[in-house]
Amino acid sequence: MLKKLSCSCCFLLSQLLLAALVCSKDHGNPANDIVNIINNNRTAHKLPKLTDSPGLGCMALQYVESCKSNCTSNNTVNCKPSEDDFTEIFAPNCGVELPTFGTITGRIVGCQHKYLEPSLAFSQVLVRDKRGLSVLQNKSHSEIGVGMVGVHKGPFFWCVLFSTGQTNSTFVLENRGLGIKQRKGCYSGSSLPCSSGQKFAPYPSNVMILSFLVYQLQRLFSNLLLPM
């Protein structure tokens, strides 16, 4: 009986750890989650989904990197890089092949003095007014890229870029983006999680899984110690 309980304990431990790892993998990049939320909003209004472009996402991250000291007390971004910055700074930093640089049809930029989960960042930062919602639901968009970054002991920034580009032919990354050394933040279209240098709040799902794991292990070990 003791042996069976030990085996059961090990099996449960392995399954719950696997679930936690899968959950962590799915939610390691909040920028990807925001893309999914935006596409769900568009389809709910009978608009086509947007293609997630890593090139646009990386440039969105470059955009907010350049605005890190410009979050006002009422959580608005007082920063607007020039159009030349896209082709002269952001695209080269990301390794976007300049002949594939397409037309950027819209942008949404926001900040918050604390980290917000993707659903809250969407509703409280990106589309908190009619202007943001209007940009998001523009019918001319076909591609999207999201970038986000946090400042040490400071605000968090989000940027969404939209384009009319064609999938796999605009904002193409050299060597499929393998040469990008992501030091801070994260961008959509990438399998890389947000950099370890930025401390993002844990997802409730991860906390629940780990709490459940501890609870189940306590129960099993209690059973092991019961008299036969």
Side-chain angles (χ1 to χ4, degrees), residues 194-209:
C194 282
S195 67
S196 58
Q198 304 301 325
K199 296 182 179 179
F200 295 97
Y203 277 75
S205 53
N206 283 351
V207 175
M208 290 176 64
I209 287 175

Side-chain angles (χ1 to χ4, degrees), residues 14-31:
S14 62
Q15 293 302 305
L16 289 175
L17 285 176
L18 178 61
L21 287 173
V22 170
C23 185
S24 297
K25 181 179 179 181
D26 290 342
H27 297 293
N29 189 337

Side-chain angles (χ1 to χ4, degrees), residues 12-13 16 32 38 40 42-43 47 62-63 75 83 86 88 103 108 120 133 135 151 163 174 183 193 198 202 208 222:
L12 180 61
L13 175 62
L16 289 175
N32 285 331
I38 289 174
N40 288 338
R42 286 178 62 89
T43 55
L47 295 169
Q62 296 291 314
Y63 190 111
N75 294 318
E83 296 301 320
F86 281 91
E88 296 177 4
T103 301
I108 303 175
L120 294 178
L133 190 61
V135 173
V151 180
S163 171
E174 298 173 356
R183 295 181 180 87
Q198 304 301 325
M208 290 176 64
S222 295

